[in-house]
Amino acid sequence: MANSLRGEVVRLYKNLLYLGREYPKGADYFRSRLKAAFLKHKDEKDPEKIKQLIARGEFVIKELEALYFLRKYRAMKQRYYSDDNR
């Protein structure tokens, strides 16, 4: 694996690990799944395949951010609006 891709993979792993701290099923669950996903592809040598996997990881980051934003939105909505106002 080229050093530039290695850096991207490490950065992706760290970002996902950071985002996984607030995962609904728990940080330990997320960390174990993340580690398994990265270990599954640890022997990948093809740069194009690695780029595809990085893109997939970035998609997961966007999905996690959307999940957290939605959760915060719902919490704020529950705080300020009662169900009677509908």
Side-chain angles (χ1 to χ4, degrees):
M1 175 174 14
N3 284 336
S4 64
L5 288 178
R6 186 179 195 287
E8 284 186 54
V9 170
V10 170
R11 194 173 317 111
L12 176 67
Y13 186 80
K14 286 181 179 182
N15 286 340
L16 284 166
L17 199 57
Y18 177 77
L19 286 173
R21 294 184 311 164
E22 297 181 32
Y23 195 70
K25 288 189 176 182
D28 292 332
Y29 173 82
F30 186 86
R31 189 180 312 116
S32 65
R33 299 284 306 259
L34 178 64
K35 185 176 180 180
F38 272 76
L39 286 176
K40 181 179 175 184
H41 298 289
K42 72 177 183 175
D43 295 325
E44 190 63 52
K45 302 289 185 207
D46 182 25
E48 291 302 316
K49 178 68 174 170
I50 294 171
K51 288 178 185 177
Q52 288 176 351
L53 292 168
I54 289 171
R56 189 169 165 198
E58 290 171 353
F59 175 76
V60 170
I61 286 175
K62 289 178 184 175
E63 290 293 315
L64 283 171
E65 289 172 343
L67 173 75
Y68 297 155
F69 179 77
L70 183 61
R71 186 171 67 182
K72 288 177 184 178
Y73 170 77
R74 285 180 178 162
M76 292 296 287
K77 188 176 177 185
Q78 284 179 346
R79 257 184 223 138
Y80 295 107
Y81 299 103
S82 66
D83 289 336
D84 299 337
N85 291 342
R86 291 185 185 187

